[in-house]
Amino acid sequence: MVHFVGAGPGAVDLITVRGQQLIREADVILYAGSLVNPALLKEAKKSCDIYNTATMTLDEVLAVMERSEAEGKRIVRLHTGDPSIYGAIREQMDALDRRNIPYEVCPGVSSFCGAAAAIKAEYTLPEVSQTVIITRAEGRTAVPEREQLASLASHGATMVLFLSAGLLQQVKEELLAGGYEPDTPCAIVYKATWPEERIVKGVLNELPKMAENAGIRKTALILVGDFLGDEYALSRLYAPDFTTEYRHAVSSDAERL
Ligand code: SAH
């Protein structure tokens, strides 16, 4: 059995309880060494075989899984954040299906949640944005034409850019072309939840300069949108005149009392 496990955004205590238990029980761990905090591996058994997949190809990863499965071992494939976001797990799952090797997925705290916590922000503010667009700039991996940044920008929604910290001139131009104002608030969150976490705040027009001045080129998320600003409406859920399944509205009489 292969367990795909989300390692969380970096801090060792932000893996799930289930994920940590799977690491403790594993006979073999394959971890994405470029981003997974190696301190998580301290929980592994002494006898556990540990592979850093940063230097391996997909075929080499699969060969380890196949051999370990044949030996009846418990296998953990540790991915950064949550495996469903830019995790390249689909190709592994399909290859395991072809080999009749069973697998399960244990979710993790994605770095975009870690970044929001780091800057103490809420992505979905009433009357500001009720939508979070998770995307990336086009680099060596192509982005489908209909998802080009300029067209996504036309929504003016909250945007989180993964894998784009080295492409900020291009990001700025496309987001401006798509309709964000030059003074739209932005944040760069480097290594959210790691001890070396850094946060740089500014506006869209300054985005490439902000990263350059801070010397940030990778392992960062770019957050864009008015959710970083000061204006928003209060949530209806906690409004006194709003009835929910759990709470009756305070009547206007009662409110006056
Ligand atoms: N599955 C991961 C993302 C993997 S793609 C997740 O859910 O977070 C790798 C990209 O994620 C990096 O280039 C960077 O943009 C972002 N990233 C991962 N960990 C990060 C962290 N702790 N802080 C900021 N960005 C991070």
Side-chain angles (χ1 to χ4, degrees):
M1 166 73 99
V2 175
H3 291 275
F4 292 93
V5 175
V12 275
D13 52 353
L14 281 177
I15 190 168
T16 63
V17 174
R18 184 189 297 181
Q20 186 177 59
Q21 190 57 31
L22 289 166
I23 288 180
R24 286 178 178 153
E25 292 165 1
D27 302 305
V28 177
I29 297 176
L30 298 120
Y31 75 105
S34 54
L35 279 170
V36 168
N37 190 340
L40 285 165
L41 304 171
K42 286 190 192 142
E43 295 291 328
K45 295 188 287 197
K46 284 223 160 48
S47 57
C48 182
D49 289 330
I50 297 180
Y51 297 83
N52 178 354
T53 57
T55 56
M56 296 165 74
T57 63
L58 174 61
D59 282 342
E60 288 168 343
V61 167
L62 291 168
V64 171
M65 289 178 173
E66 210 169 350
R67 197 173 61 232
S68 307
E69 174 70 13
E71 292 167 359
K73 293 184 168 165
R74 288 166 172 263
I75 305 154
V76 163
R77 175 68 169 114
L78 197 54
H79 283 278
T80 180
D82 183 82
S84 71
I85 311 268
Y86 304 113
I89 58 165
R90 174 65 190 267
E91 60 201 31
Q92 298 175 67
M93 294 190 296
D94 285 350
L96 293 177
D97 281 338
R98 287 194 292 275
R99 291 163 174 77
N100 285 321
I101 298 177
Y103 54 85
E104 278 184 356
V105 182
C106 172
V109 178
S110 178
S111 60
F112 84 93
C113 300
I119 63 168
K120 303 185 178 75
E122 178 174 350
Y123 287 132
T124 53
L125 286 177
E127 293 179 26
V128 175
S129 178
Q130 292 289 288
T131 304
V132 184
I133 295 177
I134 289 173
T135 189
R136 62 173 300 170
E138 188 162 57
R140 283 192 294 171
T141 300
V143 172
E145 185 59 35
R146 61 184 182 278
E147 296 173 19
Q148 294 298 310
L149 279 186
S151 75
L152 297 180
S154 68
H155 297 282
T158 296
M159 191 179 281
V160 179
L161 291 144
F162 283 73
L163 299 158
S164 305
L167 300 164
L168 294 186
Q169 188 57 35
Q170 169 191 337
V171 166
K172 170 186 151 176
E173 284 165 20
E174 292 184 39
L175 294 186
L176 288 175
Y180 282 106
E181 297 298 331
D183 63 352
T184 303
C186 292
I188 302 171
V189 186
Y190 171 78
K191 290 200 115 177
T193 81
W194 289 73
E196 57 270 46
E197 169 187 291
R198 274 157 66 203
I199 296 165
V200 185
K201 288 186 178 172
V203 295
L204 181 53
N205 227 7
E206 301 295 322
L207 188 58
K209 266 254 141 336
M210 286 156 52
E212 199 184 310
N213 292 345
I216 298 173
R217 289 195 56 78
K218 57 176 205 170
T219 329
L221 287 170
I222 313 302
L223 314 180
V224 182
D226 289 327
F227 76 100
L228 291 164
D230 296 327
E231 281 170 32
Y232 63 97
L234 296 184
S235 120
R236 295 299 296 145
L237 187 59
Y238 297 104
D241 62 343
F242 197 69
T243 293
T244 73
E245 197 182 333
Y246 303 100
R247 180 174 60 78
H248 279 288
V250 181
S251 76
S252 45
D253 280 351
E255 228 174 326
R256 254 180 258 127
L257 288 174

